Every structure is written in structure tokens, then in C-alpha cells.
Amino acid sequence: MISAQRIYLDNAATTPLDKEVLEAMLPYMTTHFGNPSSIYSYGRETRLAVENARKAIAKMLGAKPGEIFFTSGGTESNNTAITASVRDLDCTHIITSPIEHHAVLHTVEHYEQQPGVSVSFVSVLPNGQIDYADLQKQLAFHSGSGQKCLVSLMHANNEIGTILSIKRTGELCKKYHAIFHSDCVQTIGHYPISLNELNIHLISATAHKFHGPKGTGILYVNDGIQIKPLIFGGGQERNIRAGTENVYGIVGFAKALEIATRDYERDSAYIRGLRVYMIKALQRDIAGITFNGDLENGLYTVLSISFPKTERSDFLLMNLDINNICVSGGSACSSGADVGSHVMQALDKDDLYTTIRFSFSKYNTKEEIDKVIEKLKEFI
């Protein structure tokens, strides 16, 4: 699937499409091409595919079909969730963290400039975990001041892999009558989740993080709240998201999630093994490195490593790329912008270290990791 000459260890950015997913999508890219809004047979068969996908996704996520809305991906879902919370759900204060994805941070920054909306950032511990005591303190203060809060905190950080306790956060939000949104882009498809067992109002997810197609995401909207569209036009997605549905993408999302759910035990154990293998090899062979995030309980697909900043380590990403090793210095969404990692800045590590994010999938091997370790020893 991936070129034999290339080692791809940037799966937190995107993942290769699973062959089973492609096979499920192909009929809706060729013969089943009808518009789901059309009333004749071509339209009815694609409408059925969309609704069957919705039902399947809802069942796997412990949600109701009417709570699943299809979008173009995580960024649109995050934007819609935050916009709706301010515009439709009367939230006048937003609590988030300084290490959120920019799809959240930039949206929050936009609303902070609007009259009547304020923003605060929860404290972050050195391992990237949020300070729950500080979150509770902020919720108590703002709700006590008569403000309705939106809490927007990601389930797992895309750069360092630190995981939020959604259950604990949801309970705090319930106590203070806050709306809770979580960017679950890095965890849906990698962890089982039962949304009906959690106090959460909105989540965002996207298919291409778990071997599904790019350009297809979901927004979960708990049926206890009502929101209005971000995109206006036709009445698609029950008048919440206008635009002709991305049928083959939606079918691909459902199939990718089905495979991820079916193979979770096997694939997660295998990927965890790769991560542990790389940690031990790095600790054995390369001095002076530090690991970012929660090494024991963090996201099993991500390993963030800081190398002491030297003239050689400054060119580490470039040298790895030249040798056909695909990794990231942070979020792929910031590539090309020489601004450093806002996550590393928040953890006060940006100026002292060169940080590389390695992220794994079921298609990686120990042999690949061995080759990467040898190159790192050569370049450091």
C-alpha cells in the first residue's frame, strides 16, 4: 500500500485508505452516482446508502442516528460546534486549552472578538494533561457570574497524545450546566466509545485518521440540544448542513469505522507494541531525549520525542525526509508555516528542543522502526 522505499510514520496527519474501504466506496463512485435528494431510483439507492451509514456509525458510537450529521471533516465539525454553542445555545464564555488544534483555537479567537463573548484557558500540566481543579474553578466562577459556558477540550492531543478524561470533564460540565464539546479527531476509530453513557453535547471526528477517505467527517449533536446550520442552502442533513452529500465518502467513513471497531483488539495491541518497541530502542540508543505527553497512558498511535537542540538536530526533519522517512514536527496542518509548535510553546519546550512526532498505524513494522532508529543515530 505504501511504497517499499518510503517509511510512513505520520499517521496522526492522515492514514492510507484501507482496501476494504475503497471496495465499499467504488460502486458509489461509478454506477451508484445518483443525487440522494432525487426521488427516482438512482437517488433512492444513494439515499439508502447514506442513511444506512448513519445508522451503522450511530450504533458503533453508542448514539442515535438522528444525532449524527455528516460534514467535510474535523475542521468543519469543530467550527460548527463552537459557532452553534455561541449563536444557538447562549454560551457567553468559552473555556478551552492552549494546546487545542487550530481548528478550535482560531474559531475561539474569532468569537473572543465578538461583543458579549469571553474566553479563558485552562491550565495545562507538564505532561499536557489539563488541570481539572483549575477547570472546576473556572466553571464555578463563570457560571456563578451568570455566564453560560462552553467547554471545548480535545479527547487526545494530536501532537503529544495526552488523553482527556471525557467522563470526568462531562461530569464537571453537567454540575455547572455547561455545554461540552470535544474534538475527537484522534480517538474516534482508535478507541471504543459509548456517547450515550457520557455527558457530552458535541463531538467532531473525521474518517481519514483511521484509514477512511479524506473530506468526510461527522458532528455528533446530542438530541438534548438544538442547533442551526453553519452552511445554508438545501435541506440536506435535516436542515443542519446544506450541500449534496458526499455519498462515497460517507459510505467510506462507515466502512472504515466498522473495520476499526471489528479489529480494535488486534490492531491496537499491535500498534501499542510498535510504540513500546520504539521507546525502548530510543532509550537504549540515543542519549538526551525526552518524551512528551503521558508516556504510559497517552494515545497509543502517537510518540512525541524532543531531541536536544543542536546544529545537527535542527536539520533532523529535513534529513529524515531526504531519506524517505515521513514524520512531523507537530501538526501537519501547520506545515509550511515557520511558527513552531504552539503545543511545545505551551509546555515551554519549543526553544530548547527539536521535537519530532512519530505516529503509527497497523501497516507499520518493527523493521521500519529499526531503520528509523539507525538514521536517527546517524543524524543526531
PDB file of all heavy atoms in Angstrom, residues 8 75 85-86 120 122 133 137 141 154 207 209 211 256 258 287 295 304 306 324 336 342 347:
ATOM      1  N   TYR A   8       6.457   5.503   6.284  1.00  0.00           N
ATOM      2  CA  TYR A   8       5.444   6.500   6.641  1.00  0.00           C
ATOM      3  C   TYR A   8       5.091   6.364   8.117  1.00  0.00           C
ATOM      4  O   TYR A   8       4.455   5.388   8.536  1.00  0.00           O
ATOM      5  CB  TYR A   8       4.199   6.321   5.776  1.00  0.00           C
ATOM      6  CG  TYR A   8       3.159   7.388   6.040  1.00  0.00           C
ATOM      7  CD1 TYR A   8       3.319   8.683   5.539  1.00  0.00           C
ATOM      8  CD2 TYR A   8       2.028   7.112   6.796  1.00  0.00           C
ATOM      9  CE1 TYR A   8       2.373   9.670   5.787  1.00  0.00           C
ATOM     10  CE2 TYR A   8       1.084   8.087   7.049  1.00  0.00           C
ATOM     11  CZ  TYR A   8       1.263   9.363   6.543  1.00  0.00           C
ATOM     12  OH  TYR A   8       0.329  10.333   6.794  1.00  0.00           O
ATOM     13  N   THR A  75     -12.415  19.951  10.844  1.00  0.00           N
ATOM     14  CA  THR A  75     -12.406  21.413  10.931  1.00  0.00           C
ATOM     15  C   THR A  75     -13.812  21.983  10.831  1.00  0.00           C
ATOM     16  O   THR A  75     -14.208  22.833  11.637  1.00  0.00           O
ATOM     17  CB  THR A  75     -11.504  22.006   9.835  1.00  0.00           C
ATOM     18  OG1 THR A  75     -10.138  21.633  10.096  1.00  0.00           O
ATOM     19  CG2 THR A  75     -11.603  23.526   9.804  1.00  0.00           C
ATOM     20  N   SER A  85     -22.706  26.753  19.629  1.00  0.00           N
ATOM     21  CA  SER A  85     -22.747  26.937  21.080  1.00  0.00           C
ATOM     22  C   SER A  85     -22.902  28.402  21.453  1.00  0.00           C
ATOM     23  O   SER A  85     -23.631  28.746  22.393  1.00  0.00           O
ATOM     24  CB  SER A  85     -21.480  26.360  21.713  1.00  0.00           C
ATOM     25  OG  SER A  85     -21.400  24.962  21.501  1.00  0.00           O
ATOM     26  N   VAL A  86     -22.219  29.270  20.709  1.00  0.00           N
ATOM     27  CA  VAL A  86     -22.306  30.708  20.981  1.00  0.00           C
ATOM     28  C   VAL A  86     -23.615  31.274  20.432  1.00  0.00           C
ATOM     29  O   VAL A  86     -24.343  31.990  21.127  1.00  0.00           O
ATOM     30  CB  VAL A  86     -21.097  31.441  20.361  1.00  0.00           C
ATOM     31  CG1 VAL A  86     -21.268  32.960  20.472  1.00  0.00           C
ATOM     32  CG2 VAL A  86     -19.800  30.998  21.048  1.00  0.00           C
ATOM     33  N   SER A 120     -11.351  31.898  28.275  1.00  0.00           N
ATOM     34  CA  SER A 120     -10.259  31.628  29.216  1.00  0.00           C
ATOM     35  C   SER A 120      -9.655  30.270  28.883  1.00  0.00           C
ATOM     36  O   SER A 120     -10.295  29.423  28.257  1.00  0.00           O
ATOM     37  CB  SER A 120     -10.751  31.662  30.661  1.00  0.00           C
ATOM     38  OG  SER A 120     -11.725  30.661  30.897  1.00  0.00           O
ATOM     39  N   VAL A 122      -7.743  26.841  30.302  1.00  0.00           N
ATOM     40  CA  VAL A 122      -7.478  26.020  31.472  1.00  0.00           C
ATOM     41  C   VAL A 122      -5.978  25.742  31.559  1.00  0.00           C
ATOM     42  O   VAL A 122      -5.286  25.647  30.539  1.00  0.00           O
ATOM     43  CB  VAL A 122      -8.289  24.706  31.402  1.00  0.00           C
ATOM     44  CG1 VAL A 122      -7.814  23.812  30.273  1.00  0.00           C
ATOM     45  CG2 VAL A 122      -8.270  23.969  32.719  1.00  0.00           C
ATOM     46  N   ALA A 133      -8.690  20.680  38.501  1.00  0.00           N
ATOM     47  CA  ALA A 133      -9.062  21.596  39.582  1.00  0.00           C
ATOM     48  C   ALA A 133      -9.245  23.010  39.041  1.00  0.00           C
ATOM     49  O   ALA A 133     -10.170  23.733  39.447  1.00  0.00           O
ATOM     50  CB  ALA A 133      -8.000  21.569  40.680  1.00  0.00           C
ATOM     51  N   LYS A 137     -12.622  25.285  38.941  1.00  0.00           N
ATOM     52  CA  LYS A 137     -12.594  26.647  39.476  1.00  0.00           C
ATOM     53  C   LYS A 137     -13.142  27.648  38.457  1.00  0.00           C
ATOM     54  O   LYS A 137     -13.937  28.532  38.796  1.00  0.00           O
ATOM     55  CB  LYS A 137     -11.151  27.002  39.851  1.00  0.00           C
ATOM     56  CG  LYS A 137     -10.968  28.396  40.445  1.00  0.00           C
ATOM     57  CD  LYS A 137      -9.504  28.646  40.776  1.00  0.00           C
ATOM     58  CE  LYS A 137      -9.281  30.062  41.314  1.00  0.00           C
ATOM     59  NZ  LYS A 137      -7.834  30.306  41.587  1.00  0.00           N
ATOM     60  N   PHE A 141     -16.614  29.838  38.757  1.00  0.00           N
ATOM     61  CA  PHE A 141     -16.571  31.297  38.723  1.00  0.00           C
ATOM     62  C   PHE A 141     -17.504  31.861  37.658  1.00  0.00           C
ATOM     63  O   PHE A 141     -18.320  32.755  37.925  1.00  0.00           O
ATOM     64  CB  PHE A 141     -15.143  31.782  38.474  1.00  0.00           C
ATOM     65  CG  PHE A 141     -15.040  33.275  38.278  1.00  0.00           C
ATOM     66  CD1 PHE A 141     -15.070  34.135  39.361  1.00  0.00           C
ATOM     67  CD2 PHE A 141     -14.931  33.813  36.999  1.00  0.00           C
ATOM     68  CE1 PHE A 141     -14.998  35.516  39.178  1.00  0.00           C
ATOM     69  CE2 PHE A 141     -14.857  35.186  36.807  1.00  0.00           C
ATOM     70  CZ  PHE A 141     -14.887  36.028  37.914  1.00  0.00           C
ATOM     71  N   MET A 154     -10.074  18.812  23.569  1.00  0.00           N
ATOM     72  CA  MET A 154      -9.894  17.658  22.699  1.00  0.00           C
ATOM     73  C   MET A 154      -9.712  16.378  23.505  1.00  0.00           C
ATOM     74  O   MET A 154      -9.144  16.384  24.603  1.00  0.00           O
ATOM     75  CB  MET A 154      -8.727  17.886  21.738  1.00  0.00           C
ATOM     76  CG  MET A 154      -7.380  17.970  22.379  1.00  0.00           C
ATOM     77  SD  MET A 154      -6.129  18.825  21.348  1.00  0.00           S
ATOM     78  CE  MET A 154      -6.444  18.224  19.701  1.00  0.00           C
ATOM     79  N   ALA A 207     -12.837  10.791   8.955  1.00  0.00           N
ATOM     80  CA  ALA A 207     -12.560   9.413   8.532  1.00  0.00           C
ATOM     81  C   ALA A 207     -11.095   9.149   8.220  1.00  0.00           C
ATOM     82  O   ALA A 207     -10.612   8.029   8.388  1.00  0.00           O
ATOM     83  CB  ALA A 207     -13.413   9.069   7.310  1.00  0.00           C
ATOM     84  N   LYS A 209      -8.391   9.719   9.577  1.00  0.00           N
ATOM     85  CA  LYS A 209      -7.473   9.382  10.668  1.00  0.00           C
ATOM     86  C   LYS A 209      -7.500   7.888  10.994  1.00  0.00           C
ATOM     87  O   LYS A 209      -6.684   7.415  11.780  1.00  0.00           O
ATOM     88  CB  LYS A 209      -7.821  10.183  11.927  1.00  0.00           C
ATOM     89  CG  LYS A 209      -7.830  11.691  11.736  1.00  0.00           C
ATOM     90  CD  LYS A 209      -6.468  12.262  11.396  1.00  0.00           C
ATOM     91  CE  LYS A 209      -6.529  13.802  11.389  1.00  0.00           C
ATOM     92  NZ  LYS A 209      -5.228  14.410  11.081  1.00  0.00           N
ATOM     93  N   HIS A 211      -7.990   5.283   8.358  1.00  0.00           N
ATOM     94  CA  HIS A 211      -7.963   4.548   7.089  1.00  0.00           C
ATOM     95  C   HIS A 211      -9.242   4.690   6.281  1.00  0.00           C
ATOM     96  O   HIS A 211      -9.574   3.821   5.467  1.00  0.00           O
ATOM     97  CB  HIS A 211      -7.619   3.071   7.320  1.00  0.00           C
ATOM     98  CG  HIS A 211      -6.353   2.882   8.114  1.00  0.00           C
ATOM     99  ND1 HIS A 211      -5.110   3.176   7.596  1.00  0.00           N
ATOM    100  CD2 HIS A 211      -6.152   2.480   9.403  1.00  0.00           C
ATOM    101  CE1 HIS A 211      -4.197   2.940   8.523  1.00  0.00           C
ATOM    102  NE2 HIS A 211      -4.795   2.529   9.623  1.00  0.00           N
ATOM    103  N   ALA A 256     -14.849   2.260   7.239  1.00  0.00           N
ATOM    104  CA  ALA A 256     -13.596   2.391   7.993  1.00  0.00           C
ATOM    105  C   ALA A 256     -13.839   2.219   9.491  1.00  0.00           C
ATOM    106  O   ALA A 256     -13.048   1.577  10.190  1.00  0.00           O
ATOM    107  CB  ALA A 256     -12.952   3.746   7.701  1.00  0.00           C
ATOM    108  N   GLU A 258     -16.339   0.556  10.801  1.00  0.00           N
ATOM    109  CA  GLU A 258     -16.687  -0.860  11.005  1.00  0.00           C
ATOM    110  C   GLU A 258     -15.426  -1.704  11.149  1.00  0.00           C
ATOM    111  O   GLU A 258     -15.321  -2.550  12.054  1.00  0.00           O
ATOM    112  CB  GLU A 258     -17.523  -1.346   9.820  1.00  0.00           C
ATOM    113  CG  GLU A 258     -17.848  -2.833   9.856  1.00  0.00           C
ATOM    114  CD  GLU A 258     -18.347  -3.350   8.517  1.00  0.00           C
ATOM    115  OE1 GLU A 258     -19.078  -2.608   7.817  1.00  0.00           O
ATOM    116  OE2 GLU A 258     -17.997  -4.492   8.149  1.00  0.00           O
ATOM    117  N   ALA A 287      21.018   9.226  23.553  1.00  0.00           N
ATOM    118  CA  ALA A 287      21.064   9.911  24.850  1.00  0.00           C
ATOM    119  C   ALA A 287      20.437  11.304  24.751  1.00  0.00           C
ATOM    120  O   ALA A 287      20.428  11.932  23.690  1.00  0.00           O
ATOM    121  CB  ALA A 287      22.512  10.032  25.318  1.00  0.00           C
ATOM    122  N   LEU A 295       3.458   9.208  28.792  1.00  0.00           N
ATOM    123  CA  LEU A 295       4.066   8.068  28.103  1.00  0.00           C
ATOM    124  C   LEU A 295       3.321   6.760  28.383  1.00  0.00           C
ATOM    125  O   LEU A 295       3.208   5.900  27.518  1.00  0.00           O
ATOM    126  CB  LEU A 295       5.532   7.930  28.526  1.00  0.00           C
ATOM    127  CG  LEU A 295       6.462   7.194  27.561  1.00  0.00           C
ATOM    128  CD1 LEU A 295       6.478   7.861  26.199  1.00  0.00           C
ATOM    129  CD2 LEU A 295       7.866   7.107  28.137  1.00  0.00           C
ATOM    130  N   SER A 304       5.725  11.449  20.750  1.00  0.00           N
ATOM    131  CA  SER A 304       6.378  12.751  20.548  1.00  0.00           C
ATOM    132  C   SER A 304       7.694  12.759  21.306  1.00  0.00           C
ATOM    133  O   SER A 304       7.735  12.511  22.516  1.00  0.00           O
ATOM    134  CB  SER A 304       5.467  13.873  21.056  1.00  0.00           C
ATOM    135  OG  SER A 304       6.133  15.122  21.006  1.00  0.00           O
ATOM    136  N   SER A 306      11.452  14.816  22.027  1.00  0.00           N
ATOM    137  CA  SER A 306      12.245  16.041  21.957  1.00  0.00           C
ATOM    138  C   SER A 306      13.724  15.693  22.018  1.00  0.00           C
ATOM    139  O   SER A 306      14.179  15.009  22.941  1.00  0.00           O
ATOM    140  CB  SER A 306      11.870  16.991  23.101  1.00  0.00           C
ATOM    141  OG  SER A 306      10.578  17.521  22.892  1.00  0.00           O
ATOM    142  N   ASN A 324      13.505   9.532   2.830  1.00  0.00           N
ATOM    143  CA  ASN A 324      12.187   8.923   2.604  1.00  0.00           C
ATOM    144  C   ASN A 324      11.524   8.422   3.880  1.00  0.00           C
ATOM    145  O   ASN A 324      10.821   7.399   3.878  1.00  0.00           O
ATOM    146  CB  ASN A 324      12.274   7.783   1.582  1.00  0.00           C
ATOM    147  CG  ASN A 324      12.524   8.299   0.185  1.00  0.00           C
ATOM    148  OD1 ASN A 324      11.954   9.300  -0.230  1.00  0.00           O
ATOM    149  ND2 ASN A 324      13.398   7.616  -0.545  1.00  0.00           N
ATOM    150  N   GLY A 336       4.664  24.262   6.594  1.00  0.00           N
ATOM    151  CA  GLY A 336       4.909  25.394   5.712  1.00  0.00           C
ATOM    152  C   GLY A 336       4.879  26.727   6.435  1.00  0.00           C
ATOM    153  O   GLY A 336       5.282  27.743   5.886  1.00  0.00           O
ATOM    154  N   HIS A 342       2.678  25.384  18.693  1.00  0.00           N
ATOM    155  CA  HIS A 342       2.027  26.063  19.816  1.00  0.00           C
ATOM    156  C   HIS A 342       1.886  25.131  21.016  1.00  0.00           C
ATOM    157  O   HIS A 342       1.832  25.593  22.156  1.00  0.00           O
ATOM    158  CB  HIS A 342       0.664  26.610  19.393  1.00  0.00           C
ATOM    159  CG  HIS A 342      -0.376  25.559  19.128  1.00  0.00           C
ATOM    160  ND1 HIS A 342      -0.367  24.783  17.999  1.00  0.00           N
ATOM    161  CD2 HIS A 342      -1.459  25.154  19.848  1.00  0.00           C
ATOM    162  CE1 HIS A 342      -1.394  23.944  18.025  1.00  0.00           C
ATOM    163  NE2 HIS A 342      -2.069  24.145  19.140  1.00  0.00           N
ATOM    164  N   LEU A 347       4.073  24.117  26.557  1.00  0.00           N
ATOM    165  CA  LEU A 347       4.780  23.265  27.517  1.00  0.00           C
ATOM    166  C   LEU A 347       6.194  23.763  27.801  1.00  0.00           C
ATOM    167  O   LEU A 347       6.971  23.095  28.477  1.00  0.00           O
ATOM    168  CB  LEU A 347       4.841  21.832  26.988  1.00  0.00           C
ATOM    169  CG  LEU A 347       3.487  21.147  26.730  1.00  0.00           C
ATOM    170  CD1 LEU A 347       3.694  19.760  26.163  1.00  0.00           C
ATOM    171  CD2 LEU A 347       2.645  21.100  27.998  1.00  0.00           C
TER     172      LEU A 347
END
